[in-house]
Amino acid sequence: MLARAAGRILQTLAVLLIVSIASFSLLKLAPGDPVVLMLGTEFSQDSYDDLQAQLGLDQPVVIQYVRWLGDFATGNWGNSYVAKTDIFDFVVKEALPVTLTLTACAIILAIVIGVPLGVMSAVRKDTFWDAGIAALALTGTAFPSFFLGIVLIWFFAVKVGFFPVMGFVPPWEDFWQGMLHLVLPSFTLATFFIGMIVRVTRAAMVEVLDQPYITAAIARGEPRRRVIWVHAFRNILMPLVTVIGLQLGAILQGAVLTETVFSLPGLGQMLTGAVLGREYVLVQAGVMLTATLFILVNLAVDLSYPFLDPRLRAR
Amino acid sequence: MQDHKDILARHVAARLGRRTILKGMGAGMIAATTGGAFPAMAQAAQSGHIKIGEIKPIDTLDPHFTFRLGAVQIISNICNGLLKVVYDGTTVTFEPDLAATWDLEDEKTHAFTLHPGVMFHDGTPCDAEAIKFNLMRVKSGTPASPHAWKLEKLEEVEIIDPLTFKLHFSEPYAFLPVALTGSIGRAGTIVSPAAVEKYGEDFGRNPVGTGPFKFVSWKENDSIELVANTEYFEAGLPKLEKVSFMIIDEPSTALAALISGQIDGMNDCPMQLIEQVKKMPNLNVYGGVEGNYTYVGMNTQKPPFDDVNLRRAVAFAIDRDAVLKQAYFGLAKQAYTPISPPMSGFYDPDIAQSGRGQFYDLEKAKEFRAKAANQDEIEVTYIMTENPPAGTRVAQIVAPMLAEIGIKVKLELLENAAWTQRLQDRDFEMLDFFWTADLDPDETLYPEFKTDGSWNYWGWSNADFDRLCAEAQVILDVAARSKLYNEAEDLMVDEAPVAMLAHFPLYKIFSNKVQGFNYVPCDLLNLNTVSLA
């Protein structure tokens, strides 16, 4: 088991290296001189030379890459050209906590709503409930999050006035205000995910419920609730955790739109602003950080398998 | 020998209007008699916290380095200029702001007297030394200010005493009133020298001026907070105690926040939302056509648009009514030339009937098309991006119109950065764009169309145009300047490096709790006179 884990960690490091080359190269290959793009239409040769030197873009590409990777790994991400603030502080201390809070709330909401619906759908297979839940799941998956966000804002924030339209209050500073600000964006972000979880839970559960040990448990006269939530549910955890891990990328992607619609100062909004403001260094840091997060979550998912399925511990 | 008194009278009358001169003289007399007592009179009780949805991007709050009008809107509430832009509902004028008096000693020498006792928010005095520091920071500071060109002709700042100084120019400089404003001009915005020294490169995140509001904080992607400057030098102002600019990227979210009462105003509202907003009884819309123009640009340096007749054909083939209705929701005004209506003194009010400029005339377009060297169907690439104010709508509307004159348009949608690069590299045949102008034809026409001008992406060149604009730059008399600019723009629109489309409106929205907002048609959001009911 340990050898497998070590191998998986090495594999992750290799992937991270490839991702770092890709995100470094992608911005190199993107059309336009980053210095010109950052300076806009009005600039002097002096400011061009200054910025080029400041970004290290006058150095050979390999040196630029090695220096950039080293700086990234040690948390020395430089200063934002526009905001003049430390990028590490801005990204990791300000933007990341917002996105992680939003993402965590969305995942919890998706699990709390999606798993019971999926289980219910499987247990009542081929009934009206099953069809209804399937339709709901499909609608949730198909609804574009930016549109849903605006609809939710207009109904729950403007018409009914239950929730704030926008902004972020850290829940660790004011829990209730923070939660009120997070309800609509979390639900918007969770909608796609809920549909996905319902479908995966249902499929896995249907398969498990057909297994002989479930029939045996029922035959033993164990209560129905125990059969479903203890015997069957334990065995669908693996596909469920896998899908949650794999969907993190989609969630981070959705966070970009959700943060923009609800004006939350997270990674998504920061990245959008950086791309529009042509903040080359900030875009690189943001892309690398989100890719790293995604890869690390997948590693964590992989490493969690032996804990979810004892049979894997023996291998 | 020149009659300087006469030049001064005509120049200042054209710029300021009679009432303002009297007001300026009055202010000068009060300043002279009351000495340092003036700011003390200004103190007022402030109340109310206004929250504004900030839709436009902000780069830096350092006025001498910003490229963004969203930033200028905030800076104008923190800093004053030597002059300011004033709008009386019909005419735009440039009036003294930090300067109590502004005198023209001769065509190349401007004498200023400052309001006495004005202090920066950090407690340092706003005196002639501070003004000199600011002007030299723009003109020749390191790093170089992008607005340095506005003070290129400035030779010397002569300090007479702490409140009096003279600006000596190498030649008469007609654009100066715009350059010296604390808003659109930016070169004349005055900041605290002590704060610049203290914060260095971080000054743009810690701006210190003399304005009605003091900067408190800037939380990235969240909000910018200001509080009232209780020592502000203008009597009775500001009226608000606190201002928050809530940074919101999505206009419909800002509108929802405004309707639900979470914010009190929006600094910008897209045209597509305006009709909806006008129907809402609790909201007030301020805005109109401003100093700007939109156009279809053509690369005159390579085929097919190196052919003047083909460009003329394009200019006359575009049905502006359709463009105004479909791309600008019927809210913009047709542009015949670059000079827009708020440029009082230069805009030709009869232009719709005079036959000057460019307009839709398909017959004329076909005549020019028939004169073009290439009589086959011509295929051109038209690069488009999501630029404000009309996104890709203009390109899509114009393309079938050009098919009428045998020009087959291939639309190429680009990401904004790639589009900008193609524009700068002149790697295009056709595109549409807009220009926000500083309310003076010098900046509206010259850098965009002079030979090798920094923003002449079209590569167009006409020696007579260059000469007329250069002459107009050093003439202070508005009527004489206007005549030269009209001649210059006639040459430009005739050779059509661009096909003019529209002058577009910009809108600010406030809830009806907000009172006392003075609209100025150059995208300003001055909150000094605003109060909350």
Side-chain angles (χ1 to χ4, degrees):
Chain A
M1 190 180 94
L2 281 177
R4 187 183 168 276
R8 187 67 187 84
I9 289 167
L10 276 177
Q11 198 185 0
T12 300
L13 287 175
V15 173
L16 274 173
L17 197 67
I18 294 168
V19 165
S20 73
I21 294 170
S23 49
F24 182 81
S25 313
L26 272 178
L27 284 162
K28 285 273 155 212
L29 295 170
D33 179 341
V35 180
V36 174
L37 296 179
M38 273 194 255
L39 290 175
T41 50
E42 304 170 59
F43 65 87
S44 62
Q45 188 59 40
D46 282 351
S47 44
Y48 179 92
D49 295 342
D50 281 353
L51 183 58
Q52 196 188 35
Q54 194 185 318
L55 298 174
L57 296 175
D58 49 353
Q59 302 289 318
V61 176
V62 178
I63 293 178
Q64 285 181 43
Y65 169 72
V66 172
R67 186 182 287 175
W68 169 75
L69 190 63
D71 285 348
F72 184 84
T74 53
N76 179 17
W77 296 3
N79 281 327
S80 154
Y81 174 70
V82 175
K84 310 283 184 206
T85 46
D86 184 278
I87 290 180
F88 183 83
D89 283 356
F90 173 32
V91 174
V92 176
K93 293 185 185 164
E94 291 181 34
L96 187 62
V98 177
T99 303
L100 289 184
T101 311
L102 172 67
T103 312
C105 285
I107 291 175
I108 292 168
L109 203 61
I111 293 171
V112 167
I113 299 174
V115 171
L117 283 179
V119 171
M120 192 200 239
S121 193
V123 171
R124 303 184 179 194
K125 194 180 149 203
D126 299 332
T127 63
F128 166 79
W129 288 102
D130 186 23
I133 291 168
L136 262 179
L138 189 66
T139 312
T141 315
F143 231 83
S145 60
F146 67 90
F147 181 67
L148 178 68
I150 289 171
V151 170
L152 291 179
I153 285 176
W154 275 100
F155 188 75
F156 288 105
V158 177
K159 293 282 173 202
V160 185
F162 282 169
F163 301 107
V165 172
M166 41 141 230
F168 179 76
V169 174
W172 50 92
E173 282 175 17
D174 182 337
F175 183 77
W176 287 114
Q177 270 302 317
M179 284 297 129
L180 281 177
H181 277 82
L182 278 165
V183 169
L184 295 185
S186 305
F187 188 75
T188 305
L189 188 55
T191 312
F192 171 83
F193 207 36
I194 291 171
M196 190 70 74
I197 288 184
V198 167
R199 286 157 64 182
V200 171
T201 309
R202 183 192 178 277
M205 201 69 176
V206 164
E207 203 182 307
V208 170
L209 288 175
D210 274 347
Q211 297 293 317
Y213 71 89
I214 296 291
T215 317
I218 294 169
R220 282 198 302 273
E222 291 198 37
R224 184 181 158 86
R225 188 167 290 183
R226 186 175 157 77
V227 172
I228 293 168
W229 291 105
V230 178
H231 295 298
F233 187 67
R234 242 160 120 183
N235 286 294
I236 68 159
L237 276 178
M238 248 177 67
L240 203 56
V241 169
T242 306
V243 81
I244 291 171
L246 284 176
Q247 284 305 311
L248 189 83
I251 286 225
L252 287 173
Q253 220 173 15
V256 174
L257 288 173
T258 310
E259 285 173 9
T260 306
V261 170
F262 289 93
S263 203
L264 300 175
L267 269 183
Q269 212 186 2
M270 179 215 81
L271 268 176
T272 319
V275 169
L276 293 177
R278 296 143 199 185
E279 279 246 58
Y280 184 63
V281 194
L282 199 51
V283 174
Q284 269 184 331
V287 168
M288 193 58 205
L289 180 70
T290 43
T292 307
L293 272 178
F294 181 66
I295 292 165
L296 290 180
V297 168
N298 275 284
L299 175 68
V301 167
D302 272 7
L303 296 181
S304 72
Y305 287 163
F307 299 97
L308 299 174
D309 187 346
R311 288 170 298 180
L312 295 174
R313 287 178 214 163
R315 289 182 198 168
Chain B
M1 203 177 134
Q2 292 195 331
D3 183 352
H4 297 312
K5 287 277 174 203
D6 185 41
I7 292 169
L8 172 67
R10 280 187 288 122
H11 173 61
V12 176
R15 283 284 175 203
L16 310 182
R18 177 180 286 271
R19 268 188 310 167
T20 313
I21 296 172
L22 293 173
K23 208 162 73 183
M25 285 168 65
M29 284 166 68
I30 291 168
T33 51
T34 57
F38 193 76
M41 289 164 54
Q43 294 184 16
Q46 287 88 18
S47 67
H49 177 188
I50 196 170
K51 292 178 182 171
I52 305 287
E54 175 72 34
I55 313 293
K56 296 189 174 199
I58 303 158
D59 48 2
T60 167
L61 292 179
D62 187 337
H64 303 151
F65 288 89
T66 180
F67 294 103
R68 302 282 193 177
L69 290 171
V72 173
Q73 288 177 339
I74 297 174
I75 292 166
S76 296
N77 287 295
I78 300 170
C79 302
N80 293 92
L82 277 176
L83 307 179
K84 64 184 172 188
V85 190
V86 175
Y87 182 57
D88 64 3
T90 49
T91 311
V92 168
T93 52
F94 300 91
E95 299 185 2
D97 190 6
L98 278 174
T101 62
W102 167 29
D103 225 356
L104 197 67
E105 286 199 346
D106 59 53
E107 284 201 310
K108 295 192 279 186
T109 310
H110 296 250
F112 292 89
T113 309
L114 296 170
H115 286 297
V118 177
M119 307 295 266
F120 289 108
H121 301 153
D122 59 4
T124 55
C126 177
D127 54 15
E129 284 289 352
I131 304 294
K132 182 174 181 176
F133 170 89
N134 274 269
L135 296 181
M136 297 318 286
R137 183 177 187 239
V138 174
K139 182 180 165 60
S140 51
T142 309
S145 163
H147 307 289
W149 64 272
K150 293 173 185 171
L151 296 177
E152 209 173 54
K153 292 181 171 45
L154 177 65
E155 278 190 331
E156 191 200 343
V157 181
E158 182 193 353
I159 296 175
I160 310 294
D161 62 49
L163 292 181
T164 318
F165 63 94
K166 291 178 184 176
L167 304 184
H168 297 279
F169 288 84
S170 56
E171 50 188 339
Y173 183 28
F175 185 69
L176 185 73
V178 182
L180 289 188
T181 60
S183 49
I184 48 172
R186 286 166 269 182
T189 314
I190 304 304
V191 301
S192 160
V196 170
E197 199 169 313
K198 179 179 169 188
Y199 293 111
E201 278 205 337
D202 292 336
F203 179 77
R205 307 289 291 187
N206 301 277
V208 178
T210 53
F213 297 97
K214 296 181 190 179
F215 173 82
V216 177
S217 66
W218 180 346
K219 212 171 158 196
E220 200 63 42
N221 285 336
D222 188 73
S223 61
I224 291 173
E225 307 276 344
L226 313 181
V227 290
N229 171 13
T230 53
E231 307 295 320
Y232 189 54
F233 72 92
E234 281 191 272
L237 303 178
K239 296 183 173 174
L240 293 164
E241 192 181 354
K242 197 173 169 190
V243 179
S244 298
F245 293 94
M246 316 297 290
I247 298 165
I248 307 171
D249 283 348
E250 176 53 49
S252 51
T253 306
L255 186 57
L258 182 53
I259 293 167
S260 63
Q262 288 178 56
I263 58 172
D264 308 294
M266 281 168 75
N267 73 333
D268 188 18
C269 183
M271 282 182 271
Q272 54 265 44
L273 296 178
I274 283 297
E275 279 311 307
Q276 188 187 351
V277 171
K278 281 181 178 168
K279 288 178 189 148
M280 295 180 180
N282 298 331
L283 301 181
N284 292 320
V285 177
Y286 295 83
V289 168
E290 303 210 346
N292 56 48
Y293 56 98
T294 68
Y295 50 81
V296 173
M298 291 164 272
N299 189 343
T300 67
Q301 300 246 306
K302 63 178 189 183
F305 293 120
D306 54 349
D307 183 339
V308 67
N309 285 313
L310 195 66
R311 299 200 303 266
R312 286 169 174 154
V314 169
F316 285 106
I318 299 172
D319 180 352
R320 270 75 173 183
D321 270 348
V323 174
L324 292 181
K325 279 181 195 146
Q326 292 170 39
Y328 301 100
F329 305 97
L331 297 165
K333 189 180 174 73
Q334 179 166 339
Y336 295 84
T337 74
I339 294 177
S340 54
M343 287 188 212
S344 323
F346 301 100
Y347 179 69
D348 175 359
D350 301 321
I351 198 155
Q353 287 83 36
S354 67
R356 290 185 59 232
Q358 296 169 342
F359 45 86
Y360 176 53
D361 186 337
L362 192 55
E363 288 313 308
K364 219 168 175 174
K366 285 178 176 167
E367 280 171 29
F368 283 122
R369 181 70 179 89
K371 289 181 194 167
N374 187 345
Q375 287 299 306
D376 299 331
E377 185 183 76
I378 295 172
E379 189 172 314
V380 297
T381 303
Y382 187 129
I383 57 170
M384 55 179 191
T385 188
E386 281 299 338
N387 258 330
T392 57
R393 294 193 293 273
V394 167
Q396 295 173 64
I397 295 162
V398 164
M401 293 174 185
L402 299 184
E404 296 279 314
I405 53 167
I407 298 178
K408 190 177 169 191
V409 174
K410 193 178 134 213
L411 296 175
E412 188 181 349
L413 179 62
L414 295 171
E415 184 274 320
N416 196 278
W419 183 93
T420 305
Q421 190 67 48
R422 292 270 294 269
L423 171 79
Q424 283 164 345
D425 293 346
R426 283 201 196 135
D427 181 13
F428 66 91
E429 288 167 341
M430 202 170 215
L431 52 79
D432 64 87
F433 198 24
F434 73 98
W435 191 254
T436 303
D438 281 355
L439 294 184
D440 188 280
D442 181 35
E443 191 268 357
T444 305
L445 281 176
Y446 205 25
E448 295 82 2
F449 298 106
K450 75 174 169 185
T451 306
D452 298 327
S454 47
W455 304 315
N456 181 352
Y457 305 114
W458 335 112
W460 179 69
S461 174
N462 182 306
D464 287 335
F465 174 89
D466 295 350
R467 178 183 51 78
L468 286 163
C469 287
E471 279 176 26
Q473 268 190 327
V474 294
I475 293 176
L476 301 185
D477 182 81
V478 171
R481 274 187 87 204
S482 182
K483 194 168 169 293
L484 292 173
Y485 282 124
N486 286 348
E487 282 179 43
E489 64 181 357
D490 285 349
L491 290 175
M492 191 279 284
V493 295
D494 174 54
E495 293 194 10
V498 303
M500 301 303 307
L501 295 177
H503 302 298
F504 61 90
L506 291 169
Y507 295 105
K508 280 113 195 93
I509 307 174
F510 291 108
S511 83
N512 54 11
K513 285 194 300 181
V514 177
Q515 295 170 349
F517 175 69
N518 288 330
Y519 167 71
V520 182
C522 53
D523 208 8
L524 291 179
L525 191 83
N526 293 340
L527 299 171
N528 54 342
T529 54
V530 165
S531 61
L532 284 174

